[in-house]
Amino acid sequence: MKIGYARVSTEDQLLDRQIESLKKAGCERIYQEKISSGKLNRPELSRMLDALRENDIVIVVELTRIGRTVSNLISIVERIHSVGAHLISLSEPWMNTKSAQGELLFHIFASFAEFERDLTRQRSRDGLEVARSRGRKGGRPSLPEEKINMALKLYKSKSMTLSEIVKATGVSKATLYRRLQHSGLL
């Protein structure tokens, strides 16, 4: 059975183009959702993966619709393969895991993507090392202690709401709560 999966990131985006393409490709069932691919819990994707049977073919308009990162995409493809099903992307003709060549190309591209991610990570580490050797610390600059103390005094005095304290001092709620907890006031 040909099964389609269509996804857009936000509620105001339309699925029409993807659904039309999936119907033209012969999909008998189309799972669709409006949710960011960054979300770990994508209910329709989970339903589709749970319903797969041997020899089913999952069709997507493009790979970015089903997986956001290479590792995420690989784990989804592995789950599809675990039941004996396959994945085809309409926009990336090389992505057809039903063929040996498509399977090979998928793993080659996945390897290149993983390699690029490792290089980026290494360049970031090297850049931070160079910056530290030049005396740069990195990260967000810390707030002056006077501002934090003022926010704590205002909180203790109960003369202002938390939102008003944040607005007046520039100290975030998270920082204020962390300091209150550390000082035993929460």
Side-chain angles (χ1 to χ4, degrees):
M1 173 188 264
K2 290 184 177 180
I3 299 168
Y5 178 75
R7 184 194 59 78
V8 290
S9 298
T10 62
E11 283 295 323
D12 59 330
Q13 291 176 315
L14 301 175
L15 288 160
D16 300 350
R17 183 185 63 82
Q18 289 181 58
I19 292 169
E20 187 178 315
S21 295
L22 293 170
K23 283 180 180 176
K24 280 183 186 173
C27 292
E28 300 164 49
R29 170 85 169 95
I30 298 174
Y31 292 84
Q32 50 188 296
E33 57 193 341
K34 293 185 175 191
I35 191 168
S36 169
S37 64
K39 301 271 186 200
L40 294 177
N41 182 21
R42 291 189 273 159
E44 288 300 304
L45 177 62
S46 294
R47 266 189 213 93
M48 181 196 70
L49 293 171
D50 289 342
L52 287 177
R53 298 178 315 231
E54 190 172 357
N55 295 320
D56 281 346
I57 300 170
V58 175
I59 301 175
V60 293
V61 172
E62 58 187 47
L63 291 176
T64 59
R65 300 300 89 207
I66 199 164
R68 182 174 178 125
T69 64
V70 173
S71 59
N72 177 242
L73 184 59
I74 289 171
S75 72
I76 291 169
V77 170
E78 285 173 350
R79 184 144 175 222
I80 291 169
H81 284 179
S82 72
V83 295
H86 303 281
L87 176 67
I88 293 175
S89 170
L90 300 176
S91 297
E92 293 96 359
W94 55 267
M95 184 64 223
N96 178 349
T97 63
K98 198 169 179 184
S99 71
Q101 297 89 340
E103 184 75 23
L104 174 65
L105 282 171
F106 171 71
H107 286 288
I108 289 171
F109 280 104
S111 297
F112 280 131
E114 196 72 34
F115 176 65
E116 178 59 32
R117 197 167 71 208
D118 290 345
L119 285 177
T120 300
R121 203 176 291 131
Q122 183 61 47
R123 285 191 292 261
S124 293
R125 268 191 246 124
D126 292 348
L128 287 170
E129 238 176 77
V130 169
R132 282 189 202 108
S133 72
R134 293 180 180 161
R136 293 193 183 134
K137 197 167 91 173
R140 285 173 82 176
S142 56
L143 282 172
E145 202 59 38
E146 306 86 57
K147 277 190 170 192
I148 296 171
N149 289 335
M150 174 61 77
L152 290 170
K153 284 180 188 174
L154 290 170
Y155 182 84
K156 288 180 208 172
S157 73
K158 298 183 185 207
S159 61
M160 297 173 87
T161 67
L162 189 61
S163 296
E164 291 170 336
I165 295 170
V166 167
K167 201 173 196 178
T169 62
V171 176
S172 73
K173 285 182 184 181
T175 299
L176 186 55
Y177 278 130
R178 203 171 23 256
R179 285 299 185 92
L180 287 167
Q181 203 167 25
H182 182 70
S183 62
L185 295 171
L186 274 185

